[in-house]
Amino acid sequence: MSQTSKASVTFVTIDAEGAGQRLDNFLLRELKGVPKSRVYKLIRGGEVRVNKGRADAMQRLEAGDVVRIPPVRVADKPDLAPAAAASERIMLPVVFEDEALLVIDKPAGIAVHGGSGVSFGVIELLRAQRPQARFLELVHRLDRETSGLLIVAKKRSALTAMHDLLRDGHDIDKRYLALVKGAWPDEKRNLKYKLFKYTTPDGERRVRVAPDGQDAHTVIYRRERWDDAALVECELKTGRTHQIRVHLATAGFPILGDEKYGDFALNKALVRRGLKRMFLHAWRLGFRHPITGVPLKLEAPLPPELAGYVTHLNQQESN
């Protein structure tokens, strides 16, 4: 991909590696620090051009296309020093890696990327730990409090193909394990609540069930049950923000340790019993490799702090 500038306007020529990506996704990566709303406004206003013509946000770029990017004030680049300092002490276990993809088992408590008061995240750590890497981009996200499998693309072509896979949703199997309040009664239940994203007055991102929200579908399978809790497996049919957390809370079975949608008084008591984080873990991924087409089935077992609490519940019940 080559770039030229003229009077602060940037012209980017798309190469073979960059071909196939949508214009909006391309711009969001090129203009890091610019709000999404601003990027889409630039496209709608015709300030962004492809081969000298107006373009739609959904347009797929082809090799040889020339994208005109107008001068835009980008937020200051993030300070990489905190990530570099932390990269030596924070290890990110690798579950799978080849020339196109990297899949890690993300620990709880680490954001996937820096920003909004977070000095660094997983992607900044990876870039600090792999300074020779030419391309590292998140394929999807996990909440800061959630642990488990996280996919990172090492090639732009892999990133584009994985985004297509996630958007379709039918060819990827994403499973989470959650411990919920209450004895979940069904072996299997479909949850289909429409979800609406909003921001609180203090800038916190939240989600609620609303008739005008986006369609969201989670399949819940019961794995274990106790008198006042249950371990459930959650299959994502869609990938909305906070989907599992809001779906389970709306169904009357909030995730234990969830500080946004859970039972706050119970969460305080759980800390004293040994559960000091939200019990949500992305444990399994199944999909075809975006480049080779080989089926992949990846798993990350429950981390010790969550597995230990399940053991505690079993011991409590046997006494």
Side-chain angles (χ1 to χ4, degrees):
M1 199 175 302
S2 61
Q3 295 189 11
T4 59
S5 272
K6 182 180 179 182
S8 299
V9 173
T10 304
F11 295 87
V12 181
T13 302
I14 305 300
D15 58 17
E17 178 66 18
Q21 62 187 312
R22 283 182 1 195
L23 177 61
D24 57 350
N25 290 331
F26 164 76
L27 290 170
L28 289 168
R29 283 189 289 275
E30 287 290 314
L31 300 174
K32 283 186 172 64
V34 177
K36 270 188 177 182
S37 58
R38 175 71 173 131
V39 170
Y40 284 102
K41 187 176 181 180
L42 290 172
I43 298 172
R44 289 194 304 270
E47 295 182 72
V48 174
R49 299 274 175 147
V50 178
N51 301 327
K52 298 184 179 180
R54 294 177 72 106
D56 183 83
M58 305 290 284
Q59 178 174 326
R60 296 282 175 179
L61 298 174
E62 299 179 3
D65 282 349
V66 178
V67 181
R68 175 195 186 274
I69 304 175
V72 184
R73 186 179 182 278
V74 180
D76 293 337
K77 289 185 178 181
D79 182 4
L80 300 180
S87 66
E88 296 182 6
R89 59 180 173 82
I90 300 178
M91 291 297 102
L92 301 170
V94 175
V95 177
F96 172 85
E97 183 172 10
D98 66 4
E99 72 284 350
L101 293 179
L102 170 65
V103 182
I104 66 163
D105 185 359
K106 184 187 88 67
I110 302 178
V112 293
H113 59 75
S116 301
V118 178
S119 57
F120 65 87
V122 168
I123 196 65
E124 289 84 11
L125 280 172
L126 285 172
R127 288 168 181 163
Q129 292 170 350
R130 297 164 175 249
Q132 76 287 355
R134 296 180 61 189
F135 186 91
L136 286 173
E137 293 286 352
L138 293 164
V139 169
H140 62 116
R141 300 183 180 191
L142 291 178
D143 293 339
R144 183 174 183 173
E145 305 90 343
T146 304
S147 55
L149 297 171
L150 180 69
I151 310 172
V152 176
K154 296 170 65 178
K155 286 185 174 183
R156 193 176 298 279
S157 56
L159 180 68
T160 301
M162 287 302 301
H163 280 167
D164 289 341
L165 198 66
L166 288 166
R167 195 160 33 246
D168 181 62
H170 299 297
D171 297 320
I172 186 164
D173 184 19
K174 297 172 70 176
R175 307 282 179 122
Y176 291 65
L177 293 174
L179 191 69
V180 300
K181 173 187 175 183
W184 184 268
D186 309 313
E187 289 189 10
K188 178 181 178 181
R189 187 194 297 186
N190 287 278
L191 300 180
K192 295 182 178 180
Y193 302 113
K194 290 178 178 287
L195 300 179
F196 177 79
K197 286 195 292 186
Y198 67 100
T199 304
T200 64
D202 58 357
E204 188 178 11
R205 185 178 60 171
R206 289 291 186 102
V207 176
R208 65 171 180 261
V209 172
D212 57 344
Q214 292 182 303
D215 289 332
H217 181 191
T218 312
V219 186
I220 308 297
Y221 304 89
R222 189 179 66 213
R223 296 280 294 265
E224 292 187 66
R225 181 169 61 178
W226 299 271
D227 290 339
D228 56 359
L231 181 67
V232 296
E233 179 179 303
C234 311
E235 178 186 0
L236 282 180
K237 294 296 188 181
T238 55
R240 309 301 182 198
T241 301
H242 298 172
Q243 178 175 319
I244 294 172
R245 299 166 69 176
V246 177
H247 272 183
L248 286 170
T250 302
F253 297 85
I255 297 175
L256 298 186
D258 189 341
E259 295 181 353
K260 285 190 176 181
Y261 308 103
D263 183 323
F264 309 121
L266 176 59
N267 289 343
K268 287 184 179 180
L270 291 172
V271 171
R272 294 192 292 272
R273 298 178 205 167
L275 184 62
K276 300 178 180 179
R277 52 158 290 199
M278 180 172 67
F279 199 122
L280 183 61
H281 178 70
W283 86 279
R284 194 172 82 186
L285 280 171
F287 59 94
R288 286 191 176 274
H289 192 286
I291 306 300
T292 66
V294 173
L296 294 177
K297 186 175 180 180
L298 308 174
E299 295 183 358
L302 282 174
E305 70 272 16
L306 299 187
Y309 193 75
V310 172
T311 300
H312 165 73
L313 289 176
N314 286 327
Q315 290 173 343
Q316 201 174 39
E317 190 162 281
S318 64
N319 291 338

